[in-house]
Amino acid sequence: MFVTGIEAGGDQDFGTYNITNTQVGQPIQSFYGWIVDGIFQDITEVKASAAQVNPSAGQLYDPTKHTSPGDLKFRDINSDGVIDVKDRVFLGSYLPDFTYALNLGANYKNFDASVFFQGVQGSKIFNATRVITEGMVRFFNASTDVLRAWTPSNNSTDIPRAILGDPNQNARPSTRFLENGSYLWLKNIMIGYSFPAGSLQSLTNGVVSSFRFYVSAQNILTLTDYSGFDPEVGNRTPFGNNIALTNGIDFAVYPQPKSYIVGIQVNF
């Protein structure tokens, strides 16, 4: 069913169609696009399916010109025989079902340790980076995944055929680029050792009352099925209108760096 709302996320670099839609009854800025039902394997299948693109006014759809074996097959939601904007549906939300965190601490003799885990479950991420690296809409910055593109002898793949100009609009916003954004992140771990107070007082003639040595690390382990750099995607300001409604769209967000710290704590 065709619905209207506040659409956002369109970017010339990442596809001209909007990626989110905010409408009453749906989570704010839900992902919005087409459902992919696989890849066409032969011309007979192409001709038997709905027209995958809506030609310009006055033009007739030519399945041998616009769509060929190796192109994505998009679902005809309203069964009118043409794939167009009316066949877009809500695909999920960047909002997780729940978030959680776990902070643990332990002490043994003069040793201490703490770990902090943080995660989300049930969120979606639109990996717009893959529009560039896998969409083959440019002649540069492609990833090695395009080497798996469909050919008659390589038809067991999820990467459509390589074709100049993307006549079937394989790179349009769809379930192709939507991924599970759930993750469990080891955000921080710290291990320390405090020198015995009695020995410390004796060695320093009472000048140093406590001396602790510690090492810590941040962002060292992430458990996720997300294929991008960082599942903790924020908001990038793209070109166009409604720039605030783009949370969960990964426009090549720079990943959070790992860091390691060695330090001492001294009290006099």
Side-chain angles (χ1 to χ4, degrees), residues 99-234:
T99 62
Y100 59 94
L102 180 64
N103 196 2
L104 300 174
N107 292 276
Y108 177 74
K109 295 184 178 180
N110 293 335
F111 290 94
D112 63 89
S114 64
V115 292
F116 175 64
F117 293 93
Q118 182 259 328
V120 303
Q121 184 65 37
S123 65
K124 299 291 185 181
I125 298 175
F126 187 88
N127 194 341
T129 308
R130 290 175 50 205
V131 177
I132 300 298
T133 60
E134 297 179 18
M136 292 176 277
V137 293
R138 294 178 171 182
F139 295 111
F140 54 89
N141 284 349
S143 71
T144 56
D145 287 321
V146 301
L147 299 176
R148 299 189 291 106
W150 186 96
T151 65
S153 60
N154 181 43
N155 52 27
S156 296
T157 180
D158 59 349
I159 303 294
R161 65 174 178 144
I163 179 66
L164 179 65
D166 192 19
N168 192 61
Q169 299 181 14
N170 293 321
R172 72 182 83 178
S174 68
T175 51
R176 174 187 177 187
F177 303 113
L178 199 65
E179 299 187 33
N180 182 0
S182 301
Y183 66 85
L184 171 62
W185 205 325
L186 176 55
K187 298 291 288 186
N188 185 74
I189 182 171
M190 178 181 293
I191 299 175
Y193 176 80
S194 299
F195 288 89
S199 300
L200 193 61
Q201 292 280 342
S202 176
L203 289 173
T204 63
N205 293 321
V207 174
V208 178
S209 60
S210 66
F211 187 99
R212 178 176 176 266
F213 173 82
Y214 68 92
V215 293
S216 68
Q218 289 77 41
N219 302 323
I220 61 172
L221 177 64
T222 309
L223 301 178
T224 183
D225 291 330
Y226 181 58
S227 66
F229 297 125
D230 191 336
E232 206 167 42
V233 178

Side-chain angles (χ1 to χ4, degrees), residues 66-126:
H66 296 94
T67 306
S68 294
D71 282 323
L72 296 182
K73 179 180 180 181
F74 297 97
R75 186 177 301 177
D76 187 8
I77 298 296
N78 58 4
S79 301
D80 65 353
V82 177
I83 306 299
D84 55 20
V85 294
K86 296 180 180 180
D87 293 297
R88 294 179 298 168
V89 295
F90 291 98
L91 302 176
S93 173
Y94 79 99
L95 295 170
D97 295 333
F98 60 88
T99 62
Y100 59 94
L102 180 64
N103 196 2
L104 300 174
N107 292 276
Y108 177 74
K109 295 184 178 180
N110 293 335
F111 290 94
D112 63 89
S114 64
V115 292
F116 175 64
F117 293 93
Q118 182 259 328
V120 303
Q121 184 65 37
S123 65
K124 299 291 185 181
I125 298 175
F126 187 88

